[in-house]
Amino acid sequence: MEWFELSIATTHQACEAVGGVLLSCGVNCWAVEDKADLTDFMQHNRELWDYVDDSLLERGEGVTVKVYLADNEQGRETVLLIRNVLADFKKRETELDLGPLSVKTGTVNEEDWANAWKKYFHPIEIGDRLTVCPSWEDYDNASGRKVLSIDPGSAFGTGGHATTKLCLTLLDGMDCKGKSVLDVGCGSGILAVAALLLGADKALGVDIDLNSVNVAQQTALRNGVQDRADFRQADLAAGVTGKYDIVTANIVADIVMRLTPDVPALLAPGGRYIVSGIIDERVEEVVRCLNANGFAAEKLLQQEGWAAICAVRA
């Protein structure tokens, strides 16, 4: 289905007023792109991010309000109405800084929203034993690899990002046979399911996002390991009990460091703790945290500005 995309250029000050105009035109849903929101998030949620795409930081100070309308007769009438009402509003409003209040119109395809990213996701061979393959592609498995089929939807974890590749490489290089695995921040379930395909006996994945938990359950089902996998909603390892041979956490540096003091109680003797989502500049900081909690870095892998560490209890 085709949709009209209206991009209204305005200011932070006038954003709510523009929303009022849209409501008066019968539009009750829109998206706001405001650099001030990004700046506020970065200032007050430092522990949730390490890397921000340069294109976001380079965005100007203006605000863009985006509206999507069906490409049909009613949609065309609404587009014209919005243009006319905004033009009248700009003439009448003298107190607010409205910015240009210009309207650009384009079209998008609904299928593009849902599937455009898929063209960049192809089978990925990891180490000597594992291949991650999107569910919609065929893979000629002549070498007899373990093939992890995945359709991540909106959950993080396709195997394409360096942090996930690094974690999978560390798992591929381990003897997982008969092991138990805890994956904190499981996302699509890719690490837990990979460990099971590589011989692990059971895996528990936890994630604060319920959608990720649901996607992870589907990943386990798609790969025939659902009887050995359990996924739950939790804030990090809150409520998790037991001992695990392998604990993985592919998150970000600050969250890894927040989690690490709780890991010794969950790690079986001789177990391994794999952490990733760490930009190169913060590796030493994370290693210091690991050392302070009784861990020693056994292996460090780096790729594309990211790092993953496999640690053992010192």
Side-chain angles (χ1 to χ4, degrees), residues 139-156:
Y139 174 69
D140 181 10
N141 191 18
S143 58
R145 286 172 168 265
K146 301 292 184 181
V147 180
L148 195 166
S149 175
I150 192 164
D151 186 349
S154 59
F156 177 79

Side-chain angles (χ1 to χ4, degrees), residues 123-138:
I124 305 166
E125 293 185 345
I126 305 290
D128 297 324
R129 298 184 290 163
L130 185 67
T131 294
V132 179
C133 184
S135 60
W136 55 89
E137 287 211 8
D138 294 324

Side-chain angles (χ1 to χ4, degrees), residues 197-307:
L197 292 175
L198 291 169
D201 184 57
K202 60 181 179 179
L204 169 62
V206 292
D207 201 292
I208 197 169
D209 176 38
L210 182 58
N211 176 66
S212 292
V213 173
N214 293 332
V215 171
Q217 290 170 342
Q218 290 301 311
T219 302
L221 182 64
R222 181 174 287 109
N223 289 276
V225 297
Q226 67 275 13
D227 293 340
R228 295 183 285 140
D230 182 18
F231 295 98
R232 309 174 193 168
Q233 186 177 25
D235 184 359
L236 295 180
V240 176
T241 58
K243 297 286 187 179
Y244 299 85
D245 300 300
I246 301 171
V247 176
T248 62
N250 180 17
I251 318 176
V252 294
D254 281 289
I255 305 300
V256 165
M257 292 188 288
R258 198 174 94 194
L259 168 69
T260 295
D262 298 329
V263 174
L266 298 169
L267 199 63
R272 297 295 187 270
Y273 179 32
I274 296 174
V275 297
S276 190
I278 306 160
I279 58 173
D280 287 345
E281 291 85 347
R282 304 199 69 187
V283 170
E284 291 186 8
E285 186 180 356
V286 173
V287 169
R288 287 196 298 270
C289 174
L290 290 169
N291 293 342
N293 287 277
F295 288 99
E298 181 181 58
K299 189 175 291 186
L300 168 66
L301 299 182
Q302 292 175 284
Q303 182 181 356
E304 299 172 11
W306 296 91

Side-chain angles (χ1 to χ4, degrees), residues 10-20 30 32 34 63-65 96-97:
T10 184
T11 65
H12 183 77
Q13 181 186 9
C15 189
E16 287 191 15
V18 171
W30 56 87
V32 178
D34 187 348
V63 173
T64 302
V65 179
L96 285 176
D97 174 14

